[in-house]
């Protein structure tokens, strides 16, 4: 199904937020995730279901001064 | 010892994690710097170019992580980014940066003050990147900041202590730790800031983009220690003319 992840439209097989971050190989990272503008807590990754055209923002820490 | 927001640190050098060629170089440079406070930025993950996990390379047991609000152009964006860092699990420390102008990256004093008030009220330990304005430093202190971080010169410019006269006044007046941030290019710039009585300095570009970041991290560590030790020892006043070091009596 098509998902809009960080502004880019892509096809994914993932059905939950957890499956999505595993697909993206981000599952061991500290992340901040919003699903359609709503923050998703880590303990909700498993139960947060995805549907066609959902908009997901994934933020992580990067190098900075 | 340096004390910020109730936490004590033996190192007075804070390092940034931007612009390193790899996580392993960064990790080694942080170790060589002796730093116990390390800054990170928060960004959307680039799906086409997933970078190494920076957090994995930082030893949380020894190091206080300091997420910055870089990229924020006003108070509300900075507040949003600070909350994202806290919700992510990075703790309640934040280096507040509000920089509307991308060319010089100078901080907006009004929105910086507004964001400091709000974030301090919401339980953040706010370390504030600011222009070297002594009056603003006092206002930020009143607003609940835990440290002020006046810029030496524009971020990443390596131009050194261009604002030294104003930083001197900030150090004289401040009840908060003063961390000289931005623009320090060489170890001697850092040493000079520490000799003036700065409580700490923050260095990123000068270490990360040098030919040998690990060696440069060590050089900054030594310069910060030398500058601080000199400050504590009491640097003598300068004079207009010569005063002989050898005895003036019994000259042959």
């Amino acid at each position: 199904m098509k998902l809009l992840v960080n502004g880019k439209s892509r096809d994914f097989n993932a059905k939950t937020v957890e499956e999505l971050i595993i697909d993206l190989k981000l599952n061991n990272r500290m992340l901040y995730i919003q699903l359609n503008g709503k923050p998703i807590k880590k303990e909700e990754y498993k139960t947060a279901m995805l549907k066609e055209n959902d908009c997901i923002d994934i933020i992580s820490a990067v190098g900075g001064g | 010892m340096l004390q910020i927001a109730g936490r004590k640190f033996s190192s007075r050098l804070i390092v940034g994690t931007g612009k390193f060629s790899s996580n392993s170089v960064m990790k080694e440079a942080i170790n060589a710097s002796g730093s116990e406070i390390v800054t990170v930025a928060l960004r959307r993950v680039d799906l086409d170019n997933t970078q190494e996990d920076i957090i994995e390379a930082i030893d949380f047991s020894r190091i206080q992580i300091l997420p910055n609000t870089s990229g924020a152009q006003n108070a509300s964006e900075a507040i949003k980014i600070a909350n994202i860092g806290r919700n992510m699990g990075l703790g309640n420390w934040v280096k507040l940066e509000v920089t509307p102008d991308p060319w010089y990256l100078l901080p907006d004093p009004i929105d910086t003050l507004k964001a400091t008030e709000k974030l301090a009220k919401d339980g953040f330990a706010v370390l504030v990147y600011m222009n070297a304005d002594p009056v603003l430093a006092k206002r930020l202190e009143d607003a609940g900041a835990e440290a002020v971080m006046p810029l030496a010169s524009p971020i990443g410019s390596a131009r050194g202590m261009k604002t030294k006269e104003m930083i001197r006044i900030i150090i004289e007046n401040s009840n908060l730790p003063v961390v000289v941030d931005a623009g320090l290019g060489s170890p001697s710039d850092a040493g000079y800031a520490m000799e003036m009585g700065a409580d700490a300095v923050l260095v990123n570009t000068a270490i990360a983009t040098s030919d040998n970041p690990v060696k440069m991290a060590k050089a900054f560590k030594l310069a910060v220690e030398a500058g601080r030790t000199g400050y504590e020892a009491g640097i003598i006043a300068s004079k207009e003319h010569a005063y002989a070091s050898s005895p003036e009596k019994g000259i042959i």
Side-chain angles (χ1 to χ4, degrees):
Chain A
M1 90 183 128
K2 272 215 171 353
L3 298 172
L4 192 67
V5 182
N6 285 354
K8 287 177 182 167
S9 181
R10 297 272 171 88
D11 273 314
F12 290 95
N13 293 322
K15 292 181 185 65
T16 63
V17 166
E18 180 169 85
E19 288 174 16
L20 177 67
I21 59 172
I22 290 170
D23 265 11
L24 293 168
K25 298 186 175 62
L26 296 171
N27 43 312
N28 291 320
R29 298 201 186 195
M30 273 185 171
L31 300 170
Y32 176 82
I33 297 182
Q34 281 193 343
L35 173 58
N36 299 321
K38 181 179 168 280
I40 305 292
K41 290 184 186 144
K42 201 172 177 179
E43 53 271 26
E44 297 167 345
Y45 288 178
K46 248 187 185 117
T47 53
M49 302 300 290
L50 300 173
K51 57 180 190 317
E52 187 82 19
N53 295 324
D54 270 349
C55 177
I56 297 117
D57 279 309
I58 307 175
I59 294 165
S60 77
V62 298
Chain B
M1 267 187 134
L2 173 65
Q3 188 167 338
I4 301 177
R7 188 165 168 185
K8 287 179 180 166
F9 302 94
S10 50
S11 167
R12 293 178 179 272
L13 173 59
I14 302 174
V15 295
T17 55
K19 302 179 191 166
F20 282 95
S21 57
S22 70
N23 262 6
S24 63
V25 172
M26 183 196 79
K27 201 171 175 176
E28 218 182 316
I30 291 172
N31 284 339
S33 76
S35 181
E36 296 159 315
I37 305 174
V38 162
T39 61
V40 296
L42 301 174
R43 291 289 182 273
R44 284 194 164 79
V45 175
D46 181 354
L47 300 185
D48 296 323
N49 179 27
T50 314
Q51 291 158 325
E52 292 176 281
D53 183 9
I54 199 146
I55 293 297
E56 195 187 58
I58 297 170
D59 177 4
F60 276 81
S61 65
R62 195 177 67 77
I63 288 170
Q64 169 71 50
I65 197 109
L66 180 59
N68 68 34
T69 65
S70 62
Q73 297 196 337
N74 56 48
S76 64
E77 288 174 6
I79 291 163
K80 186 176 148 195
I81 295 169
N83 278 289
I84 286 174
R86 186 160 68 175
N87 290 335
M88 199 185 280
L90 294 176
N92 68 337
W93 282 43
V94 64
K95 179 188 163 190
L96 176 63
E97 293 182 45
V98 182
T99 54
D101 160 30
W103 186 246
Y104 286 110
L105 291 172
L106 293 173
D108 179 328
I110 296 161
D111 273 35
T112 297
L113 180 61
K114 282 184 197 163
T116 300
E117 281 169 352
K118 172 72 177 149
L119 290 170
K121 219 173 270 175
D122 291 346
F124 283 92
V126 193
L127 289 73
V128 189
Y129 174 61
M130 59 174 291
N131 210 323
D133 177 345
V135 178
L136 179 62
K138 293 309 283 182
R139 292 292 300 270
L140 291 167
E141 192 175 315
D142 296 341
E146 292 287 355
V148 288
M149 307 178 79
L151 60 92
S153 47
I155 292 175
S157 69
R159 296 185 66 196
M161 290 285 286
K162 295 297 178 205
T163 60
K164 62 186 178 189
E165 295 309 327
M166 293 300 116
I167 287 180
R168 199 183 299 281
I169 298 171
I170 293 172
I171 291 169
E172 183 189 336
N173 289 343
S174 183
N175 295 310
L176 294 176
V178 178
V179 182
V180 176
D181 181 11
L184 300 176
S186 64
S188 61
D189 290 336
Y192 183 78
M194 296 308 296
E195 283 178 9
M196 278 173 53
D199 295 279
V201 297
L202 192 156
V203 182
N204 188 164
T205 305
I207 293 173
T209 66
S210 67
D211 290 342
N212 186 334
V214 178
K215 206 166 195 173
M216 190 58 84
K218 187 181 178 191
F220 270 96
K221 175 186 193 279
L222 294 171
V224 167
E225 286 171 2
R228 179 66 190 186
T229 308
Y231 168 74
E232 288 173 1
I235 292 165
I236 63 165
S238 60
K239 294 148 193 121
E240 286 301 310
H241 61 84
Y243 285 80
S245 302
S246 307
E248 287 169 25
K249 283 183 181 171
I251 290 173
I252 303 157

